[in-house]
Amino acid sequence: MRTVHEVSALTGVSIRTLHHYDAIDLLKPSKVTDAGYRLYNEAALSRLQIILMFRELQFPLKEIKAILDSPEFDINEALSQQITLLKLQQKHIEGLISLARSIQQTGVNEMGFHAFEKTELEQFAEEIKKRWGTTQAYQEYEQKNAGKTDSEQTAAAEQIMQIFTEFGTMRSLPPSDSVVQEKVAALQSFITENYYHCTNDILNGLAQMYTEDKRFKDNIDNAGGDGTAAFVQQAIQIYCGA
């Protein structure tokens, strides 16, 4: 058994963060002494390792908890998915390195700016505006994003694309599979938490956009592999009973 201070020293996770994980039932101590000291066994440390890996991949804490608490959670499958996501991140980083070297060698005028584009987020906002206009959903979107910095908005956009990457690893499963349906629920929750209250009707409308709008389709397929957008649409339609 290790104390919270020892776990913090071992992992680099602050004591405050470990207390927060306990409070939200993400990582409970294995034992609490009569004096109130938290103690963690090897199983708890293994769970913490998985949590930290998902956090490294920018998964929200609520989603990590849902994954780990799922009765169908398989650590080997989770690790395979994490490896896939890390490889995609590696590919992205290698692209940025290549881009930086290109600047050194040929100058900025010889390169593109694709790796730094923010147009995707702007286009997403425009699509929402066109689709929902002055509805409550759009007003909520405006309100939630009013105080966000560009980096926060970009982070949210990257996180939703990570969800689509996760969908891509599930394409061998039927869209009706419970694991896929849980990911649809996670997507709906993410949209609600970061953009606007995503009802089933709105989610079903987004599913159509994911395949009918070439920009969305291409980006989703780039994130999860060819056919991911169509797979997500089918999964959402099943989820919404459409």
Side-chain angles (χ1 to χ4, degrees):
M1 290 276 195
R2 297 177 186 267
T3 67
V4 68
H5 289 84
E6 289 172 336
V7 172
S8 178
L10 176 68
T11 64
V13 179
S14 70
I15 294 173
R16 182 176 180 180
T17 296
L18 291 170
H19 287 177
H20 178 61
Y21 287 175
D22 182 8
I24 64 175
D25 294 331
L26 177 61
L27 180 70
K28 303 295 291 183
S30 308
K31 180 181 178 180
V32 178
T33 67
D34 293 338
Y37 293 110
R38 295 171 172 85
L39 299 176
Y40 297 83
N41 61 16
E42 291 302 316
L45 291 176
S46 295
R47 182 178 173 98
L48 179 58
Q49 283 182 320
I50 299 298
I51 291 169
L52 295 179
M53 182 68 77
F54 275 120
R55 287 301 288 156
E56 187 70 23
L57 295 168
Q58 298 183 1
F59 275 65
L61 293 179
K62 287 184 179 179
E63 188 170 337
I64 296 174
K65 184 177 185 302
I67 291 170
L68 297 184
D69 291 346
S70 170
E72 298 182 8
F73 175 71
D74 184 310
I75 188 169
N76 290 324
E77 181 182 358
L79 287 171
S80 294
Q81 293 168 347
Q82 289 174 345
I83 289 169
T84 298
L85 290 172
L86 288 168
K87 284 182 177 178
L88 289 170
Q89 282 193 347
Q90 180 184 31
K91 182 179 178 181
H92 174 67
I93 291 170
E94 287 174 349
L96 291 176
I97 292 172
S98 176
L99 215 55
R101 286 174 176 164
S102 178
I103 295 174
Q104 281 186 322
Q105 295 170 3
T106 63
V108 69
N109 291 331
E110 299 296 326
M111 55 164 281
F113 287 84
H114 177 72
F116 306 105
E117 284 182 357
K118 294 183 179 179
T119 55
E120 192 60 40
L121 185 62
E122 295 168 0
Q123 289 173 351
F124 181 66
E126 282 302 310
E127 288 295 333
I128 294 172
K129 187 172 183 179
K130 288 178 183 177
R131 198 168 189 88
W132 311 117
T134 57
T135 63
Q136 182 178 350
Y138 180 68
Q139 291 173 3
E140 188 177 355
Y141 169 81
E142 291 277 60
Q143 186 177 28
K144 283 189 176 182
N145 282 274
K148 288 185 178 180
T149 64
D150 287 346
S151 60
E152 288 173 334
Q153 292 182 15
T154 300
E158 290 174 349
Q159 287 171 20
I160 199 169
M161 294 312 295
Q162 287 180 348
I163 293 176
F164 291 126
T165 299
E166 191 77 8
F167 271 116
T169 67
M170 301 176 179
R171 282 180 293 141
S172 61
L173 300 173
S176 59
D177 189 278
S178 61
V179 174
V180 180
Q181 291 299 297
E182 286 173 6
K183 184 57 63 177
V184 175
L187 173 63
Q188 186 178 39
S189 295
F190 182 87
I191 294 171
T192 294
E193 290 174 9
N194 292 274
Y195 298 105
Y196 47 83
H197 181 60
C198 186
T199 64
N200 282 5
D201 285 342
I202 291 176
L203 185 63
N204 199 42
L206 289 172
Q208 286 184 282
M209 189 191 304
Y210 292 159
T211 55
E212 294 175 2
D213 188 306
K214 188 176 185 300
R215 292 167 303 168
F216 283 90
K217 180 180 181 299
D218 289 347
N219 281 300
I220 292 171
D221 283 351
N222 285 337
D226 290 341
T228 300
F231 178 75
V232 172
Q233 182 190 36
Q234 293 171 5
I236 289 175
Q237 287 174 338
I238 292 170
Y239 180 87
C240 296

